[in-house]
Amino acid sequence: MTDWQELEGKYYMQTIVRVPVTLVKGKGVRVWDDKGKEYLDFVNGLAVNCLGHCHPVVINAVAEQARTLIQTSNWYYTVPQLQLAQLLVENSCLDRVFVCNSGLEANEGAVKLARRYGHLKLNGAYEVITTLDSFHGRSLALTAASGNPKMHAPYVPLPEGFINVKNNDIEAIKAATTEKTCAVMLEPVQAEGGVNIADDDYLQKVRAWCDQKEILLILDEVQTGIGRLGTLFGYQLYGVEPDILTLAKGLGGGIPIGAVLARENAAVFVPGDHNATFGGNPVTSAAAYATLKYVIDNDIPGNVRKVGHYLMEGLKRLKAKYPFIKDVRGRGFLVAIEFNSDIAQDVLMACLEKGLLVNKLKPDAIRLIPPLTIGNKEVDQALGILDNVFSGIVN
Ligand SMILES: Cc1ncc(COP(=O)(O)O)c(C=O)c1O
């Protein structure tokens, strides 16, 4: 039997320290490794497979489209891309869509759009204010945009024009705003940076400030979009409408796709400004259209609200039982468990052994990002394994 992990060590670029398991099959909330062991998957392609692994809606959309037309070029009109754009616009506060291939591409498009807007309407303003502990992607520009100095250091010099300010602090945004500012870019809930939840009125204050200064508000909903927080888009949870919105992860139900959405007045690209060879490809767009339609038609965000509440109640009980749990926090199915010491790797490995996949968010925190379709039964199974793992922790 091939040792895939040894093969990775030999042939693959060492960009990540992987969890020592080779996954070969998935269905719903379950995956199987190459030895046939079954796991409950609360990592879920890193908050991607919103309908679970290999959902028939996604399979059928991909298979049907792959039999019909796989790739053309954006020089031509194609049906799935335009159906997807219409569905997104009809269900959001935005007016126009550009479809791309990933979260970073969506954010790169959003920043380009904001700079274009700055050039056209704000006397050449080009700076984008972002927050510390944010994560927006790994291109050079988005490395600069992401508020994590450790990410910056190996790649300096980075493109200029990004100002990282303290999170959840409207005064910090105000202080950083100058005549060079064209936009503020935020995640409704900082996901990779720690599942950091800002004050309820923070986004509203930022919106009001952007309106006052006539600059754009970009919401990076690559992780929070498509139901993860219990509303179709995270901005709906906070009663705030962005000028530009970015999506990826959940959008394709597991198929790689991203999108930039903008209000009409911010959609300032003209022909020649922006494009992507694979952006809005018929197969990925068909998968996203089918996924999004299923999410909307079946009120999947409603399930996230209901079952997410159940999950949080269970986690609070575990917190009350185990003093080494410092905090449980989250919205919907974007949840973190923080410990009072760096035991996240030990917890992850013990969960793996007992058949539950969790994500190590930080040395002292794990993240649960299950499919949006699970019910209380799967939550009970995960809580049972976590309880079992925690009971074995000497702290
Ligand atoms: C909020 C946010 N923005 C952007 C990205 C980058 O997305 P991608 O990995 O698809 O480039 C991520 C990925 O985790 C993310 O969580």
Side-chain angles (χ1 to χ4, degrees):
M1 194 172 163
T2 308
D3 185 335
W4 297 107
Q5 293 173 34
E6 189 184 296
L7 204 126
E8 192 260 8
K10 190 162 170 204
Y11 294 118
Y12 208 79
M13 285 205 202
Q14 298 294 293
T15 61
I16 195 167
V17 181
R18 302 191 200 231
V19 176
V21 61
T22 305
L23 301 176
V24 295
K25 197 173 87 170
K27 186 155 180 49
V29 65
R30 291 173 203 284
V31 284
W32 287 263
D33 71 13
D34 57 348
K35 297 178 185 70
K37 181 171 170 183
E38 181 180 314
Y39 304 84
L40 199 59
D41 184 3
F42 271 47
V43 178
N44 181 35
L46 220 61
V48 166
N49 306 312
C50 58
L51 307 181
H53 290 275
C54 300
H55 194 284
V57 159
V58 182
I59 296 174
N60 292 340
V62 169
E64 178 64 26
Q65 189 58 46
R67 270 194 294 269
T68 311
L69 181 68
I70 292 181
Q71 163 73 4
T72 60
S73 152
N74 282 326
W75 290 112
Y76 307 100
Y77 298 86
T78 49
V79 177
Q81 177 190 88
L82 300 173
Q83 286 177 322
L84 174 62
Q86 183 179 18
L87 192 62
L88 282 167
V89 167
E90 286 177 355
N91 288 280
S92 73
C93 64
L94 292 311
D95 302 309
R96 286 188 184 271
V97 180
F98 173 80
V99 188
C100 55
N101 306 290
S102 67
L104 106 72
E105 254 192 65
N107 286 336
E108 194 78 32
V111 169
K112 281 179 75 179
L113 192 57
R115 283 204 179 180
R116 193 81 176 89
Y117 183 91
H119 287 190
L120 290 168
K121 303 197 183 185
L122 299 172
N123 300 316
Y126 63 93
E127 278 181 0
V128 177
I129 299 172
T130 65
T131 52
L132 288 168
D133 292 325
S134 62
F135 180 76
H136 298 294
R138 292 185 184 274
S139 65
L140 285 173
L142 295 170
T143 295
S146 298
N148 177 350
K150 275 200 204 132
M151 259 175 81
H152 298 183
Y155 300 107
V156 289
L158 293 173
E160 64 164 319
F162 298 95
I163 316 288
N164 310 142
V165 303
K166 192 164 168 240
N167 186 37
N168 194 26
D169 184 348
I170 182 64
E171 296 310 320
I173 289 179
K174 287 184 180 176
T177 307
T178 68
E179 74 286 350
K180 288 197 228 152
T181 310
C182 66
V184 177
M185 178 157 84
L186 302 172
E187 297 162 80
V189 172
Q190 286 185 333
E192 300 299 308
V195 185
N196 304 322
I197 296 163
D199 295 342
D200 278 348
D201 61 354
Y202 171 63
L203 279 184
Q204 291 181 3
K205 287 181 183 160
V206 178
R207 175 72 272 178
W209 178 249
C210 290
D211 288 343
Q212 190 181 325
K213 290 291 166 186
E214 298 181 341
I215 56 178
L216 300 175
L217 175 60
I218 304 171
L219 287 185
D220 173 352
E221 295 227 31
V222 164
Q223 187 149 166
T224 56
I226 320 297
R228 183 140 303 270
L229 302 187
T231 45
L232 187 58
F233 303 108
Y235 70 77
Q236 293 161 325
L237 196 63
Y238 293 97
V240 160
E241 295 190 344
D243 302 298
I244 300 176
L245 175 78
T246 58
L247 301 170
K249 289 193 182 273
L251 181 60
I255 303 300
I257 191 164
V260 191
L261 284 71
R263 283 185 166 169
E264 191 66 53
N265 76 322
V268 291
F269 282 151
V270 294
D273 278 353
H274 195 61
N275 198 7
T277 301
F278 293 116
N281 163 285
V283 176
T284 57
S285 294
Y289 175 78
T291 302
L292 184 62
K293 194 151 170 21
Y294 186 92
V295 166
I296 294 166
D297 291 350
N298 293 281
D299 188 23
I300 299 299
N303 185 62
V304 174
R305 283 197 298 281
K306 205 169 61 186
V307 185
H309 177 75
Y310 185 77
L311 171 64
M312 189 50 79
E313 291 302 301
L315 292 176
K316 283 183 187 158
R317 281 196 299 279
L318 291 180
K319 178 175 181 293
K321 186 167 169 189
Y322 298 103
F324 59 84
I325 300 180
K326 192 166 147 195
D327 192 23
V328 291
R329 59 177 177 270
R331 292 282 181 274
F333 279 163
L334 175 56
V335 171
I337 308 175
E338 188 179 333
F339 308 107
N340 66 6
S341 62
D342 291 353
I343 57 169
Q345 184 65 22
D346 296 342
V347 169
L348 179 152
M349 290 304 292
C351 285
L352 184 73
E353 204 251 311
K354 294 186 191 316
L356 172 67
L357 302 187
V358 298
N359 170 242
K360 181 174 154 193
L361 185 60
K362 293 182 166 213
D364 63 350
I366 60 166
R367 177 171 44 166
L368 307 179
I369 32 182
L372 310 184
T373 44
I374 62 166
N376 293 356
K377 195 168 141 223
E378 288 82 12
V379 167
D380 283 338
Q381 281 173 359
L383 289 171
I385 295 176
L386 285 171
D387 194 0
N388 195 320
V389 163
F390 292 156
S391 69
I393 297 231
V394 186
N395 188 271

Short mmCIF file of all heavy atoms in Angstrom, two decimals, residues 46 48 101-107 134-139 142 146 187-193 220-224 246 248-249 257 367, ligand 1:
data_model
loop_
_atom_site.label_atom_id
_atom_site.label_comp_id
_atom_site.label_asym_id
_atom_site.label_seq_id
_atom_site.Cartn_x
_atom_site.Cartn_y
_atom_site.Cartn_z
N LEU A 46 -12.50 23.03 5.42
CA LEU A 46 -12.26 24.36 6.00
C LEU A 46 -13.44 25.30 5.68
O LEU A 46 -13.29 26.29 4.96
CB LEU A 46 -10.92 24.95 5.55
CG LEU A 46 -10.18 25.69 6.67
CD1 LEU A 46 -9.83 24.77 7.83
CD2 LEU A 46 -8.93 26.35 6.18
N VAL A 48 -16.10 24.81 3.88
CA VAL A 48 -16.39 24.87 2.44
C VAL A 48 -17.63 24.04 2.05
O VAL A 48 -18.55 24.57 1.43
CB VAL A 48 -15.16 24.43 1.63
CG1 VAL A 48 -15.52 24.16 0.18
CG2 VAL A 48 -14.07 25.49 1.71
N ASN A 101 -12.35 32.48 -8.76
CA ASN A 101 -12.06 31.08 -8.40
C ASN A 101 -11.74 30.80 -6.95
O ASN A 101 -11.57 29.64 -6.58
CB ASN A 101 -10.86 30.60 -9.24
CG ASN A 101 -11.10 30.80 -10.72
OD1 ASN A 101 -11.93 30.11 -11.30
ND2 ASN A 101 -10.42 31.76 -11.30
N SER A 102 -11.60 31.81 -6.12
CA SER A 102 -11.19 31.57 -4.73
C SER A 102 -11.46 32.81 -3.90
O SER A 102 -11.81 33.87 -4.44
CB SER A 102 -9.69 31.25 -4.67
OG SER A 102 -8.96 32.41 -5.04
N GLY A 103 -11.21 32.67 -2.60
CA GLY A 103 -11.39 33.80 -1.71
C GLY A 103 -10.40 34.90 -1.97
O GLY A 103 -10.74 36.09 -2.00
N LEU A 104 -9.16 34.50 -2.18
CA LEU A 104 -8.14 35.53 -2.42
C LEU A 104 -8.44 36.28 -3.71
O LEU A 104 -8.30 37.51 -3.77
CB LEU A 104 -6.73 34.93 -2.39
CG LEU A 104 -5.87 34.69 -3.62
CD1 LEU A 104 -5.34 35.97 -4.23
CD2 LEU A 104 -4.71 33.83 -3.23
N GLU A 105 -8.88 35.57 -4.71
CA GLU A 105 -9.19 36.25 -5.98
C GLU A 105 -10.37 37.20 -5.82
O GLU A 105 -10.41 38.28 -6.42
CB GLU A 105 -9.55 35.21 -7.05
CG GLU A 105 -8.48 35.00 -8.07
CD GLU A 105 -9.01 34.20 -9.24
OE1 GLU A 105 -9.90 34.66 -9.96
OE2 GLU A 105 -8.53 33.07 -9.39
N ALA A 106 -11.34 36.80 -5.00
CA ALA A 106 -12.50 37.67 -4.77
C ALA A 106 -12.03 38.95 -4.06
O ALA A 106 -12.42 40.06 -4.44
CB ALA A 106 -13.55 36.93 -3.93
N ASN A 107 -11.18 38.78 -3.05
CA ASN A 107 -10.72 39.97 -2.31
C ASN A 107 -9.79 40.84 -3.15
O ASN A 107 -9.82 42.07 -3.06
CB ASN A 107 -10.02 39.54 -1.02
CG ASN A 107 -11.03 39.07 0.02
OD1 ASN A 107 -12.19 39.46 -0.03
ND2 ASN A 107 -10.60 38.24 0.93
N SER A 134 -7.11 40.14 11.10
CA SER A 134 -7.94 39.75 9.95
C SER A 134 -7.15 38.80 9.05
O SER A 134 -5.92 38.74 9.12
CB SER A 134 -8.32 40.99 9.13
OG SER A 134 -7.15 41.61 8.61
N PHE A 135 -7.86 38.05 8.23
CA PHE A 135 -7.21 37.23 7.19
C PHE A 135 -8.00 37.38 5.91
O PHE A 135 -9.20 37.12 5.87
CB PHE A 135 -7.14 35.75 7.59
CG PHE A 135 -6.47 34.92 6.53
CD1 PHE A 135 -5.09 34.95 6.37
CD2 PHE A 135 -7.21 34.14 5.65
CE1 PHE A 135 -4.45 34.22 5.38
CE2 PHE A 135 -6.59 33.40 4.65
CZ PHE A 135 -5.21 33.43 4.51
N HIS A 136 -7.31 37.83 4.86
CA HIS A 136 -8.00 38.08 3.59
C HIS A 136 -7.45 37.28 2.42
O HIS A 136 -8.00 37.36 1.32
CB HIS A 136 -7.95 39.57 3.27
CG HIS A 136 -8.65 40.42 4.29
ND1 HIS A 136 -10.02 40.37 4.50
CD2 HIS A 136 -8.18 41.32 5.20
CE1 HIS A 136 -10.36 41.21 5.48
NE2 HIS A 136 -9.26 41.78 5.92
N GLY A 137 -6.34 36.55 2.62
CA GLY A 137 -5.81 35.76 1.51
C GLY A 137 -4.31 35.89 1.42
O GLY A 137 -3.69 36.65 2.17
N ARG A 138 -3.70 35.13 0.50
CA ARG A 138 -2.25 34.99 0.51
C ARG A 138 -1.55 35.54 -0.74
O ARG A 138 -0.40 35.19 -1.00
CB ARG A 138 -1.88 33.52 0.71
CG ARG A 138 -2.25 33.04 2.10
CD ARG A 138 -1.78 31.63 2.35
NE ARG A 138 -2.23 31.14 3.64
CZ ARG A 138 -1.59 31.35 4.79
NH1 ARG A 138 -0.47 32.04 4.82
NH2 ARG A 138 -2.07 30.85 5.91
N SER A 139 -2.21 36.34 -1.55
CA SER A 139 -1.47 37.06 -2.59
C SER A 139 -0.61 38.10 -1.87
O SER A 139 -0.80 38.34 -0.66
CB SER A 139 -2.43 37.78 -3.54
OG SER A 139 -3.13 38.78 -2.83
N LEU A 142 -2.89 40.85 -0.53
CA LEU A 142 -3.77 40.45 0.57
C LEU A 142 -2.98 40.01 1.79
O LEU A 142 -3.50 40.02 2.91
CB LEU A 142 -4.74 39.38 0.10
CG LEU A 142 -5.70 39.93 -0.96
CD1 LEU A 142 -6.49 38.83 -1.60
CD2 LEU A 142 -6.63 41.00 -0.40
N SER A 146 -3.95 41.55 5.25
CA SER A 146 -4.23 40.72 6.43
C SER A 146 -3.46 41.25 7.63
O SER A 146 -2.26 41.50 7.54
CB SER A 146 -3.84 39.26 6.15
OG SER A 146 -4.61 38.74 5.08
N GLU A 187 -13.98 41.53 8.01
CA GLU A 187 -14.78 40.30 8.09
C GLU A 187 -15.86 40.54 9.15
O GLU A 187 -15.53 41.01 10.24
CB GLU A 187 -13.92 39.13 8.57
CG GLU A 187 -12.77 38.74 7.68
CD GLU A 187 -11.76 37.89 8.45
OE1 GLU A 187 -11.99 36.69 8.61
OE2 GLU A 187 -10.74 38.45 8.89
N PRO A 188 -17.11 40.19 8.92
CA PRO A 188 -18.15 40.38 9.95
C PRO A 188 -17.76 39.67 11.25
O PRO A 188 -17.97 40.21 12.33
CB PRO A 188 -19.39 39.75 9.33
CG PRO A 188 -19.17 39.83 7.87
CD PRO A 188 -17.68 39.68 7.66
N VAL A 189 -17.22 38.45 11.15
CA VAL A 189 -16.58 37.78 12.28
C VAL A 189 -15.20 37.38 11.79
O VAL A 189 -15.09 36.70 10.76
CB VAL A 189 -17.35 36.51 12.72
CG1 VAL A 189 -16.56 35.74 13.76
CG2 VAL A 189 -18.74 36.86 13.24
N GLN A 190 -14.14 37.83 12.48
CA GLN A 190 -12.79 37.42 12.06
C GLN A 190 -12.68 35.91 12.25
O GLN A 190 -12.78 35.42 13.39
CB GLN A 190 -11.73 38.11 12.90
CG GLN A 190 -11.55 39.58 12.57
CD GLN A 190 -10.41 40.18 13.35
OE1 GLN A 190 -10.07 39.71 14.45
NE2 GLN A 190 -9.81 41.21 12.80
N ALA A 191 -12.45 35.19 11.16
CA ALA A 191 -12.51 33.73 11.23
C ALA A 191 -11.14 33.12 11.54
O ALA A 191 -10.91 32.64 12.66
CB ALA A 191 -13.09 33.20 9.93
N GLU A 192 -10.22 33.18 10.58
CA GLU A 192 -8.90 32.56 10.78
C GLU A 192 -8.16 33.20 11.95
O GLU A 192 -7.36 32.57 12.62
CB GLU A 192 -8.04 32.71 9.52
CG GLU A 192 -8.61 32.07 8.27
CD GLU A 192 -8.79 30.58 8.42
OE1 GLU A 192 -7.84 29.89 8.80
OE2 GLU A 192 -9.92 30.10 8.16
N GLY A 193 -8.42 34.47 12.19
CA GLY A 193 -7.72 35.22 13.25
C GLY A 193 -8.16 34.85 14.65
O GLY A 193 -7.67 35.43 15.62
N ASP A 220 -15.60 41.15 3.70
CA ASP A 220 -15.03 39.88 3.26
C ASP A 220 -15.84 38.77 3.93
O ASP A 220 -15.67 38.47 5.10
CB ASP A 220 -13.56 39.82 3.68
CG ASP A 220 -12.92 38.46 3.42
OD1 ASP A 220 -13.63 37.51 3.04
OD2 ASP A 220 -11.69 38.35 3.59
N GLU A 221 -16.75 38.21 3.14
CA GLU A 221 -17.60 37.12 3.65
C GLU A 221 -17.22 35.79 3.00
O GLU A 221 -18.06 34.92 2.78
CB GLU A 221 -19.07 37.45 3.41
CG GLU A 221 -19.54 38.67 4.19
CD GLU A 221 -20.85 38.42 4.90
OE1 GLU A 221 -21.12 37.27 5.28
OE2 GLU A 221 -21.61 39.39 5.04
N VAL A 222 -15.92 35.67 2.70
CA VAL A 222 -15.43 34.42 2.12
C VAL A 222 -15.77 33.25 3.04
O VAL A 222 -16.15 32.17 2.59
CB VAL A 222 -13.90 34.54 1.87
CG1 VAL A 222 -13.26 33.18 1.65
CG2 VAL A 222 -13.64 35.46 0.69
N GLN A 223 -15.66 33.47 4.35
CA GLN A 223 -15.95 32.38 5.29
C GLN A 223 -17.34 32.51 5.92
O GLN A 223 -18.00 31.51 6.20
CB GLN A 223 -14.88 32.34 6.40
CG GLN A 223 -15.01 31.15 7.29
CD GLN A 223 -13.70 30.65 7.88
OE1 GLN A 223 -13.72 29.87 8.81
NE2 GLN A 223 -12.55 31.02 7.37
N THR A 224 -17.80 33.74 6.14
CA THR A 224 -19.07 33.92 6.86
C THR A 224 -20.30 33.86 5.95
O THR A 224 -21.42 33.71 6.43
CB THR A 224 -19.08 35.28 7.60
OG1 THR A 224 -18.83 36.32 6.64
CG2 THR A 224 -18.03 35.33 8.69
N THR A 246 -17.48 40.03 -0.70
CA THR A 246 -16.76 38.93 -1.34
C THR A 246 -17.21 37.59 -0.75
O THR A 246 -17.48 37.49 0.45
CB THR A 246 -15.23 39.07 -1.20
OG1 THR A 246 -14.89 39.12 0.19
CG2 THR A 246 -14.74 40.31 -1.91
N ALA A 248 -16.68 33.05 -1.22
CA ALA A 248 -15.96 31.91 -1.82
C ALA A 248 -16.40 30.65 -1.08
O ALA A 248 -17.56 30.25 -1.23
CB ALA A 248 -14.44 32.11 -1.77
N LYS A 249 -15.51 30.10 -0.29
CA LYS A 249 -15.72 28.85 0.47
C LYS A 249 -17.05 28.13 0.24
O LYS A 249 -17.13 27.25 -0.59
CB LYS A 249 -15.51 29.16 1.94
CG LYS A 249 -14.03 29.43 2.27
CD LYS A 249 -13.78 29.41 3.73
CE LYS A 249 -12.35 29.73 4.12
NZ LYS A 249 -11.46 28.59 4.13
N ILE A 257 -14.71 28.23 -6.19
CA ILE A 257 -15.31 29.38 -6.85
C ILE A 257 -15.32 30.55 -5.86
O ILE A 257 -15.33 30.34 -4.65
CB ILE A 257 -16.75 29.05 -7.33
CG1 ILE A 257 -17.29 30.14 -8.27
CG2 ILE A 257 -17.70 28.80 -6.17
CD1 ILE A 257 -18.51 29.72 -9.08
N ARG A 367 -11.28 24.99 16.29
CA ARG A 367 -12.47 25.56 15.62
C ARG A 367 -13.35 24.44 15.12
O ARG A 367 -12.86 23.42 14.64
CB ARG A 367 -12.00 26.43 14.45
CG ARG A 367 -13.12 27.02 13.63
CD ARG A 367 -12.61 28.04 12.62
NE ARG A 367 -11.41 27.61 11.91
CZ ARG A 367 -10.95 28.19 10.80
NH1 ARG A 367 -11.59 29.21 10.27
NH2 ARG A 367 -9.84 27.75 10.22
C1 LIG B 1 -12.22 35.63 5.50
C2 LIG B 1 -11.33 34.99 4.48
N1 LIG B 1 -10.98 35.71 3.40
C3 LIG B 1 -10.20 35.18 2.44
C4 LIG B 1 -9.72 33.89 2.54
C5 LIG B 1 -8.86 33.33 1.45
O1 LIG B 1 -9.58 32.42 0.70
P1 LIG B 1 -8.84 31.37 -0.26
O2 LIG B 1 -8.10 30.43 0.63
O3 LIG B 1 -9.94 30.73 -1.04
O4 LIG B 1 -7.92 32.16 -1.13
C6 LIG B 1 -10.08 33.10 3.65
C7 LIG B 1 -9.57 31.74 3.79
O5 LIG B 1 -9.57 31.15 4.84
C8 LIG B 1 -10.91 33.67 4.64
O6 LIG B 1 -11.27 32.97 5.73
#
